[in-house]
């Protein structure tokens, strides 16, 4: 009989992924937590160190998971100096402390920049997904081949849940993204195009790959500008490059707008992050397209926060209004999760069975999960599906989670729509364990 983790992973292919009996699922999840802790403690040095320091030898209940959770900053805890100085071996040593990667499996000989460093890890059979880096540093989140296969299954079989679409490549495709790059959203949009768009019929925002070095350089400079540390020459050069890039992307977006307007009566696939989606619908409205005017078989994929761009408070309502009548995926997720929490008919985001939700107090020290009802706190979780890294994480999100049966008739838990970043609520977004975890990592790499 397959283990608990494998049983949970198999639920992605079932017809009732989000409708499992609560008692049976909780028992299966706890056994899966034991399995994943046992497996990753031997493979992820930071988890092994954390377990030894906190005295957790086994998982007997969800409370045992709390001291083992990494902070959302753990995957960006490397010193930036390792990149600026080209210390690629040391950066790999950092990566192997937070991931299930052996440094001896990755060839660092002749690496010239962070993009080549990322490519070498990919060549060794892993996929280092990065985050956007709006804080000045990107996170590097390791996935292995099994993780990528599982994520592809999630995207193929659960798109548009609770009424999934059949996998038919019949739509004219538009990806508001680069051609490639180590971001989960880029891979996800590309995989969706393979499943739902006509072969060879997908337009991209740019044919250039996303370069990690450019993303990090611009993020670091934005932080230096905010701190008042950037020189006038640096600012001038940054503005010149940014303006040129914006003109290029603006021209590409204009071509996509023209093409969508010309084919509005056909089924389309439109995929992009919220900021690109908002730019698109503004341009389409300016072209005379009214709300709800796209073909009803159009599939729209969007997500992400503002990513450094100030969007109006009602941007979600505007997206909903413009895309009225089409198939639009609504979800709550993050790069650190395999898949997302998908919205039911009532608008609640149901947590997938391979994710154990852990609602913590604001410092991230105490588990608040109730037996039933709604609880407010910091969203944390253990994703038992992950093989390439430890899936226990404390996020920066303030959430309300309902552990009672949902009004849609399915069991909980479900994340309610009022989701905010603690950093946006005033005060500092400080997680108690973050500094300790960072000190562990510094000690390991030095």
């Amino acid at each position: 009989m397959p283990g608990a983790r494998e049983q949970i992973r198999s639920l992605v292919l079932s017809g009732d992924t989000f409708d499992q009996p609560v008692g049976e699922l909780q028992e299966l999840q706890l056994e899966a937590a034991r399995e994943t802790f046992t497996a990753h403690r031997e493979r992820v040095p930071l988890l092994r160190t954390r377990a030894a320091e906190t005295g957790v030898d086994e998982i007997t209940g969800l409370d045992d998971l709390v001291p083992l959770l990494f902070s959302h900053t753990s995957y960006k805890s490397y010193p930036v100096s390792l990149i600026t100085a080209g210390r690629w071996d040391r950066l790999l040593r950092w990566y192997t402390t937070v991931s299930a990667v052996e440094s001896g499996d990755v060839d660092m000989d002749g690496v010239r920049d962070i993009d080549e460093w990322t490519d070498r890890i990919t060549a060794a059979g892993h996929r280092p997904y990065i985050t956007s880096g709006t804080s000045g540093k990107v996170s590097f989140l390791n996935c292995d081949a099994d993780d990528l296969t599982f994520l592809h299954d999630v995207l193929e079989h659960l798109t548009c849940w609770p009424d999934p679409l059949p996998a038919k490549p019949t739509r004219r495709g538009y990806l508001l993204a680069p051609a490639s790059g180590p971001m989960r959203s880029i891979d996800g949009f590309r995989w969706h195009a393979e499943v739902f768009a006509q072969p060879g019929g997908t337009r991209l925002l740019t044919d250039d790959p996303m370069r990690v070095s450019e993303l990090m350089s611009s993020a670091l400079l934005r932080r230096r500008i905010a701190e008042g540390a950037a020189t006038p020459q640096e600012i001038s050069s940054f503005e010149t490059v940014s303006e040129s890039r914006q003109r290029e992307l603006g021209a590409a977006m204009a071509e996509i707008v023209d093409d969508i307007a010309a084919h509005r009566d056909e089924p389309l696939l439109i995929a992009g992050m919220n900021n690109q989606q908002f730019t698109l619908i503004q341009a389409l409205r300016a072209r005379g397209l009214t709300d709800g005017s796209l073909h009803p078989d159009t599939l729209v994929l969007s997500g992400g926060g503002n990513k450094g761009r100030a969007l109006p408070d009602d941007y979600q309502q505007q997206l909903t209004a413009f895309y009225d009548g089409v198939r639009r995926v609504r979800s709550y997720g993050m790069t650190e999760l395999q898949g997302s929490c998908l919205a039911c008919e009532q608008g609640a985001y149901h947590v997938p069975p391979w994710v154990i939700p852990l609602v913590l107090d604001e410092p991230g020290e105490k588990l608040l999960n109730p037996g039933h009802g709604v609880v407010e706190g910091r969203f944390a979780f253990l994703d038992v599906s992950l093989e390439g890294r430890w899936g226990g994480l404390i996020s920066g999100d303030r959430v309300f989670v309902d552990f009672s049966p949902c009004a849609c008739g399915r069991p909980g838990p479900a994340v309610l729509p009022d989701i905010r970043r603690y950093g946006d609520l005033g005060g500092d977004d400080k997680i108690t364990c973050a500094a300790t975890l960072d000190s562990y990592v510094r000690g390991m790499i030095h």
Side-chain angles (χ1 to χ4, degrees):
M1 183 176 179
R5 294 176 70 198
E6 198 55 42
Q7 291 181 59
I8 287 179
R9 286 168 65 109
S10 69
L11 292 176
V12 72
L13 303 177
S14 71
D16 54 357
T17 304
F18 292 89
D19 196 14
Q20 301 298 311
V22 174
E24 294 178 17
L25 179 60
Q26 288 177 343
E27 184 177 340
L28 193 62
Q29 286 178 328
L30 186 57
E31 181 57 33
R34 295 189 184 100
E35 291 178 7
T36 193
F37 172 62
T38 300
H40 285 81
R41 180 173 52 183
E42 300 306 315
R43 303 177 66 202
V44 181
L46 182 57
L47 176 62
R48 183 167 61 247
T49 302
R50 186 66 172 165
E53 291 285 338
T54 58
V56 178
D57 296 321
E58 60 178 334
I59 306 300
T60 60
L62 298 186
D63 284 293
D64 294 327
L65 292 172
V66 176
L68 301 175
L69 300 175
F70 293 0
S71 163
H72 64 89
T73 62
S74 297
Y75 293 102
K76 60 177 73 173
S77 58
Y78 54 88
V80 175
S81 59
L82 297 183
I83 296 175
T84 56
R87 297 298 306 274
W88 309 118
D89 55 340
R90 282 290 180 87
L91 188 63
L92 179 62
R93 187 183 301 176
W94 165 80
Y95 194 64
T96 60
T97 67
V98 297
S99 308
V101 177
E102 296 291 338
S103 58
D105 295 338
V106 185
D107 179 15
M108 288 285 107
D109 186 43
V111 171
R112 293 171 295 180
D113 58 24
I114 188 63
D115 293 286
E116 283 195 10
W117 181 87
T118 304
D119 290 343
R120 296 294 181 86
I121 295 174
T122 302
H126 298 271
R127 184 64 162 159
Y129 280 143
I130 68 166
T131 57
S132 60
T134 51
S135 65
K137 295 172 75 176
V138 301
S139 297
F140 291 95
L141 297 144
N142 190 63
C143 294
D144 70 6
D146 286 341
D147 296 329
L148 299 182
T149 298
F150 180 73
L151 181 57
H152 194 285
D153 286 342
V154 171
L155 298 179
E156 179 174 346
H157 294 280
L158 293 179
T159 294
C160 280
W161 180 89
D163 185 19
L165 288 173
K168 294 182 179 179
T170 56
R171 294 167 178 79
R172 191 176 182 87
Y174 304 90
L175 305 189
L176 311 180
S180 61
M183 268 190 166
R184 199 191 76 170
S185 59
I186 295 176
D187 275 356
F189 292 156
R190 179 170 53 82
W191 290 338
H192 274 111
E194 292 172 0
V195 173
F196 298 108
Q198 301 165 2
T202 297
R203 301 179 69 106
L204 299 168
L205 186 59
T206 172
D207 291 325
D208 297 330
M210 189 208 71
R211 292 183 56 81
V212 183
S213 54
E214 294 177 0
L215 185 66
M216 293 192 70
S217 295
S218 61
L220 286 169
L221 185 56
R222 283 195 299 270
R223 187 169 72 176
R224 282 169 50 78
I225 291 173
E227 295 170 348
T231 67
Q233 292 81 5
E234 288 176 323
I235 295 173
S236 176
S237 177
F238 175 72
E239 290 176 343
T240 299
V241 172
S242 295
E243 290 171 1
S244 175
R245 187 63 172 163
Q246 286 301 315
R247 285 194 297 271
E248 293 175 9
L249 295 179
M253 181 68 84
E255 292 181 2
I256 288 177
V257 168
D258 290 343
D259 206 68
I260 290 176
H263 298 275
R264 71 185 77 177
D265 296 326
E266 302 174 23
L268 310 176
L269 166 68
I270 304 175
M273 305 306 284
N274 285 331
N275 48 1
Q276 286 95 4
Q277 289 280 5
F278 187 73
T279 298
L280 177 69
I281 69 167
Q282 285 183 306
L284 289 170
R285 282 170 169 165
R287 284 290 308 270
L289 271 71
T290 57
D291 293 355
S293 62
L294 296 181
H295 192 283
D297 286 336
T298 290
L299 171 61
V300 175
L301 308 170
S302 61
N306 294 356
K307 302 301 181 188
R309 177 185 171 184
L311 294 176
D313 291 339
D314 68 340
Y315 79 93
Q316 286 284 11
Q317 289 88 338
Q318 291 200 46
L319 290 175
T320 298
F322 184 82
Y323 288 129
D324 181 44
V326 308
R327 303 293 299 273
R328 183 172 174 229
V329 174
R330 295 179 300 142
S331 64
Y332 164 62
M334 56 196 74
T335 305
E336 293 87 347
L337 275 176
Q338 287 279 76
S340 299
C341 304
L342 297 176
C344 69
E345 301 88 343
Q346 301 297 318
Y349 300 112
H350 286 252
V351 182
W354 52 89
V355 175
I356 302 174
L358 305 165
V359 184
L360 309 180
D361 61 358
E362 186 172 345
E365 298 175 326
K366 182 180 178 182
L367 182 66
L368 305 178
N369 285 24
H372 62 277
V374 178
V375 63
E376 173 188 358
R378 185 182 289 274
F379 188 65
F381 56 84
L382 174 64
D383 186 335
V384 300
S385 73
L386 283 161
E387 296 285 355
R389 65 181 185 274
W390 170 239
L393 191 95
I394 305 174
S395 80
D397 292 350
R398 192 286 319 268
V399 297
F400 295 87
V401 179
D402 192 351
F403 286 82
S404 299
C406 180
C408 72
R410 300 177 183 88
V415 181
L416 302 183
D418 184 11
I419 302 164
R420 302 283 298 278
R421 300 285 292 181
Y422 273 107
D424 296 334
L425 294 174
D428 296 324
D429 177 18
K430 291 185 177 179
I431 301 173
T432 301
C433 71
T436 303
L437 289 167
D438 287 354
S439 69
Y440 289 163
V441 172
R442 285 193 297 270
M444 290 176 179
I445 64 176
H446 292 298

